[in-house]
Amino acid sequence: MKRTGPAAEVAHRSSSFRDPDGAVVEVGGRIFRLVRGPAVDRTRKFLASELCRMLVAERLLVPTWEERGVGSLGVELGIGQEALERGNVGLVLGHEAIWFPSYPHEWPAEMLWEAGRLTLELCDRSLEHGFGLKDATPYNVLFCGPRPVFVDVLSFEPRDPADFVWRAYGQFVRTFLLPLALWRFCGVPPGVVFLSSREGLTPEQAARWLGPIVRLRRPVLTLATVPNWLGRWADRMGEGLYRRRTVDPEVARRALRTLFRGLRDQLERLRPPVSTGSGWSRYEEETLRLAPEARRVKHEWVVATLRRRKPETMLDPGLQHRYVRVGCGGAGYPCSGGGP
């Protein structure tokens, strides 16, 4: 969930990231979403749905609620009534804050893969309840510890039962599958891709990175090579390529189900291999053997610092990359950690 501010400025912005339907505000550690115009009714419909209740109960979707009157809350947020009206704000939502949010340009490939898996699961679940996801970007996902949580409730919208096209397909390929292919076959971390562009990789860019031999391998052939060949034709078609097409509702549902199943298969092919070790894997053993005195001095310094500072949390960037609570038993020791 992208943090923006100050609050007084947010009501005048046209979007949060690029969504014209709303903006996110953080005030005093509390997270609010300002919902605009026609999105108000469909957002209320989704929040009242069984789908929303199920996803929140399973911790797949961030807990969200409608705040009290927009005007009175605007005063608390430092946004005047005039600014709210000018920004066409008709609904304010409250979100449960995610502790220590991280973003795709900071993730390893494993986190991007998990975010993609969650996105496709939500697509499948939404299909059965008459909703769909209007976009498919990893920026809609945050991590609560190791668990991905979808945070953009405005992505859910009622689906036309006769429409068999998922318009977010191309975005899913660019921001999930192609960056994972680049990591799998070239060793380029996803962070390199997203630091360059939030839009991920186009098939043309991926084809240049992956080289002639890899371009003929599955799933790269269907994700990058063929789309690259067809790119000029698609450019000539323009918006006509994406015009709404309608079929029998049951046929449309089966077509989308098949599409999501195919994307899951492609995602599985690009699953990052399980790491068997790293430069830190034998850190404790090696330091005990090679530098016992240095290890003792370091351990004493860490313990003394924790006792003196008494922090509530700390980040262990070593072996396990874990965020840990400290202060067990009042002694100031880590509750868990990846190294000495």
Side-chain angles (χ1 to χ4, degrees):
M1 189 177 306
K2 183 170 176 58
R3 298 181 177 187
T4 55
E9 298 177 359
V10 176
H12 301 285
R13 297 185 179 182
S14 61
S15 66
S16 174
F17 188 21
R18 292 187 178 177
D19 191 347
D21 292 334
V24 177
V25 189
E26 178 185 2
V27 179
R30 299 167 65 193
I31 307 296
F32 300 96
R33 188 181 298 270
L34 311 181
V35 185
R36 301 189 176 98
V40 170
D41 289 339
R42 68 171 182 261
T43 300
R44 283 196 172 113
K45 180 178 180 180
F46 171 70
L47 292 177
S49 69
E50 179 65 20
L51 173 65
C52 180
R53 288 192 289 272
M54 291 170 53
L55 296 180
V56 170
E58 296 174 36
R59 305 298 291 177
L60 301 179
L61 179 68
V62 65
T64 302
W65 54 90
E66 183 173 345
E67 291 285 354
R68 60 185 182 277
V70 173
S72 59
L73 185 61
V75 174
E76 181 179 341
L77 297 180
I79 305 173
Q81 183 65 36
E82 181 182 349
L84 289 170
E85 293 175 355
R86 185 164 58 250
N88 196 22
V89 175
L91 175 65
V92 177
L93 303 178
H95 290 302
E96 181 180 284
I98 302 295
W99 185 76
F100 207 97
S102 62
Y103 304 99
H105 58 271
E106 303 168 315
W107 295 349
E110 291 82 355
M111 292 176 73
L112 181 64
W113 189 90
E114 287 290 349
R117 181 193 58 77
L118 173 63
T119 300
L120 291 179
E121 180 176 351
L122 296 184
C123 286
D124 254 343
R125 302 278 290 273
S126 299
L127 188 60
E128 296 302 318
H129 291 265
F131 287 90
L133 292 182
K134 67 179 182 181
D135 54 9
T137 166
Y139 287 92
N140 287 340
V141 179
L142 293 179
F143 278 80
C144 187
R147 177 171 48 81
V149 180
F150 201 84
V151 297
D152 189 2
V153 296
L154 299 189
S155 289
F156 293 89
E157 60 181 7
R159 185 181 70 84
D160 180 351
D163 188 5
F164 65 92
V165 175
W166 186 41
R167 294 197 59 173
Y169 168 83
Q171 189 180 37
F172 186 87
V173 171
R174 292 191 304 271
T175 58
F176 286 104
L177 298 182
L178 290 180
L180 286 170
L182 201 62
W183 163 251
R184 185 66 183 267
F185 297 111
C186 300
V188 178
V192 173
V193 173
F194 291 109
L195 282 173
S196 174
S197 171
R198 289 190 177 193
E199 301 295 337
L201 286 173
T202 66
E204 295 80 8
Q205 291 169 329
R208 289 196 297 269
W209 274 91
L210 292 168
I213 296 178
V214 175
R215 287 201 297 264
L216 298 178
R217 296 179 60 178
R218 296 180 63 187
V220 175
L221 179 66
T222 55
L223 294 175
T225 307
V226 173
N228 186 32
W229 292 338
L230 299 177
R232 293 184 181 180
W233 173 76
D235 288 341
R236 289 196 299 270
M237 289 287 293
E239 282 299 312
L241 185 65
Y242 301 102
R243 68 181 182 275
R244 184 176 296 277
R245 302 168 175 85
T246 59
V247 296
D248 177 80
E250 181 57 26
V251 173
R253 190 186 68 80
R254 288 202 301 267
L256 287 171
R257 179 75 72 196
T258 300
L259 173 66
F260 297 145
R261 183 169 59 248
L263 288 173
R264 283 198 304 274
D265 291 344
Q266 291 175 326
L267 187 68
E268 188 61 36
R269 288 175 177 271
L270 296 172
R271 186 170 191 162
V274 176
S275 175
T276 58
S278 72
W280 294 96
S281 298
R282 300 175 58 83
Y283 173 79
E284 186 169 5
E285 178 182 332
E286 292 297 316
T287 54
L288 280 172
R289 183 173 64 87
L290 300 176
E293 180 61 20
R295 183 186 184 282
R296 182 188 63 79
V297 172
K298 177 181 178 181
H299 182 269
E300 291 177 352
W301 178 85
V302 170
V303 171
T305 301
L306 291 175
R307 283 174 170 164
R308 184 174 66 255
R309 298 286 186 179
K310 294 181 173 61
E312 293 182 0
T313 59
M314 78 172 189
L315 167 65
D316 172 14
L319 299 178
Q320 302 290 336
H321 299 279
R322 285 186 284 187
Y323 303 101
V324 298
R325 299 283 176 182
V326 301
C328 296
Y333 291 96
C335 293
S336 61

